[in-house]
Amino acid sequence: MGILLLSGVLSAVLILVLKPVLIRYALARPNARSSHKIPTPQGGGIAVVGAALLMVLLPAWFLNLPGYVLSQFLIVACASIGLALIGAVDDIRPLPASLRLLLQMAAVMAVVLTSGIRIFPEWMPLGVEQALLIFGGVWFVNLTNFMDGLDWITVAEMVPVTGAIVILGPMASQEPPPLLAMVIALALCGALLGFAPFNKPVARLFLGDVGSLPIGLLVGWMLLELAGTGALAAALLLPLYYLMDATITLLRRLARREKVWEAHRSHFYQQATDNGFSALQVSAHVFGLNLVLAGLAAMTLIWSSGAVQIAALVSGIVLVGLMLRRFSTPRQTIPLEVSR
């Protein structure tokens, strides 16, 4: 709990220190695709990611972790910082989409190829599996960026996910728990809670790409570590809302032959605000759904039979599907009868 608390306090303090600079140099001005109506500083991710990574150094020192664990942390931290730098530049002066993608691939490759994790060792060759993991990692980094378009939504998504990783990690299979991933998850959860008051609707500060890109990499790596212990179903269930909203939206845009690398307002959470939901209501729905998905993930670890895994995944898909349908349907308001 000390890591959670200290990470939150450090994140909030860094935000207070950095905010005058962000107001001057990193102001996000509203446009046709924005969810905000007034210029708002972005770049809060500097404090969130910085606080999370700094707070991991303390337990890493006192726990006397093996050398390979510390090496893994350095690789993940450096890849995350690299993505943060890319995001910082892109927040101020947009980079070409092809360059962003190439640099994202390099960061994800560094993490995947050095992790040594196998998900399907008996089913597919190592090269094929690593290629799929790299593709999935790049997509997860980007979808985290795409979904960070509404006040509090990243907090509502990533706080339950990181909290669940901390709780569920020791329950996973019979392998040693992913200790490093659990510590980073705890630190990131605290840092996001420290950021939450500044991003509460109506937000006074945004994460920016400097935050969403490395957070996507960190959480994607944590889920990979969880899946590597045999908890694949749990690793899929925890981020299922983000996965389905972003993936379905991407496929729809591809079908319409749109330029998928350009900003837009066709995500389901964006449709929800157009259909009568407030930003707070959308985030509350996402947060509540994620708690249910975490419960389903826990079920897959308590009862490891194939039937339970499938039933939990199907239930999660149905629940997220119902949420997406609710978000894409205009809310009906009952007109008040005026007495004469």
Side-chain angles (χ1 to χ4, degrees):
M1 292 304 295
I3 295 175
L4 184 75
L5 179 60
L6 291 175
S7 182
V9 171
L10 180 58
S11 176
V13 170
L14 288 174
I15 287 172
L16 292 174
V17 172
L18 291 170
K19 194 174 179 182
V21 178
L22 298 177
I23 291 174
R24 182 172 182 178
Y25 295 106
L27 206 61
R29 301 188 182 280
N31 54 47
R33 298 179 179 92
S34 302
S35 296
H36 62 290
K37 300 184 184 303
I38 60 174
T40 305
Q42 57 187 344
I46 299 173
V48 173
V49 176
L53 294 179
L54 286 172
M55 285 310 304
V56 175
L57 292 176
L58 184 63
W61 176 267
F62 283 106
L63 289 175
N64 194 25
L65 297 176
Y68 75 91
V69 176
L70 292 176
S71 297
Q72 187 180 33
F73 168 67
L74 289 176
I75 292 170
V76 172
C78 289
S80 301
I81 292 170
L83 284 185
L85 292 174
I86 296 166
V89 173
D90 198 48
D91 282 335
I92 298 172
R93 180 176 297 178
L95 297 171
S98 57
L99 178 59
R100 291 201 311 266
L101 183 61
L102 183 63
L103 295 173
Q104 291 166 7
M105 287 182 62
V108 173
M109 286 178 65
V111 172
V112 170
L113 297 180
T114 59
S115 68
I117 293 175
R118 296 297 307 272
I119 308 298
F120 307 110
E122 299 177 356
W123 294 1
M124 66 178 62
L126 174 62
V128 175
E129 182 174 346
Q130 288 181 332
L132 289 175
L133 291 176
I134 291 169
F135 176 81
V138 172
W139 175 228
F140 195 83
V141 167
N142 279 280
L143 72 85
T144 303
N145 182 32
F146 296 158
M147 295 295 291
D148 182 44
L150 191 67
D151 301 346
W152 252 7
I153 193 167
T154 298
V155 174
E157 175 71 16
M158 294 307 181
V159 165
V161 170
T162 52
I165 290 171
V166 175
I167 296 170
L168 301 181
M171 301 168 57
S173 188
Q174 311 208 345
E175 299 288 332
L179 182 60
L180 179 60
M182 292 165 57
V183 173
I184 297 179
L186 188 61
L188 182 58
C189 183
L192 284 167
L193 290 174
F195 165 73
F198 302 92
N199 191 239
K200 176 183 176 181
V202 174
R204 293 172 290 151
L205 180 68
F206 299 148
L207 274 177
D209 289 1
V210 68
S212 59
L213 293 177
I215 287 173
L217 180 66
L218 286 170
V219 175
W221 168 75
M222 295 172 201
L223 294 170
L224 176 61
E225 288 283 317
L226 184 62
T229 65
L232 178 59
L236 291 173
L237 279 164
L238 291 178
L240 192 58
Y241 169 71
Y242 261 31
L243 287 173
M244 288 183 61
D245 189 322
T247 303
I248 293 172
T249 300
L250 175 70
L251 294 176
R252 284 180 167 180
R253 297 190 71 206
L254 285 172
R256 294 194 294 264
R257 298 184 179 181
E258 298 179 9
K259 296 179 180 179
V260 295
W261 55 88
E262 293 183 349
H264 60 95
R265 281 192 54 81
S266 53
H267 281 288
F268 288 89
Y269 74 88
Q270 293 170 323
Q271 294 178 45
T273 59
D274 294 336
N275 288 331
F277 290 83
S278 67
L280 185 58
Q281 289 171 329
V282 173
S283 296
H285 277 71
V286 172
F287 184 82
L289 175 61
N290 278 308
L291 293 180
V292 176
L293 292 175
L296 290 174
M299 286 177 52
T300 66
L301 300 180
I302 296 171
W303 297 286
S304 58
S305 70
V308 172
Q309 311 290 307
I310 294 172
L313 283 169
V314 171
S315 298
I317 291 171
V318 170
L319 288 172
V320 176
L322 291 173
M323 179 77 78
L324 298 181
R325 181 178 180 182
R326 179 173 173 81
F327 280 172
S328 61
T329 304
R331 302 190 73 179
Q332 295 183 352
T333 56
I334 302 175
L336 297 176
E337 183 178 351
V338 179
S339 58
R340 298 182 179 180

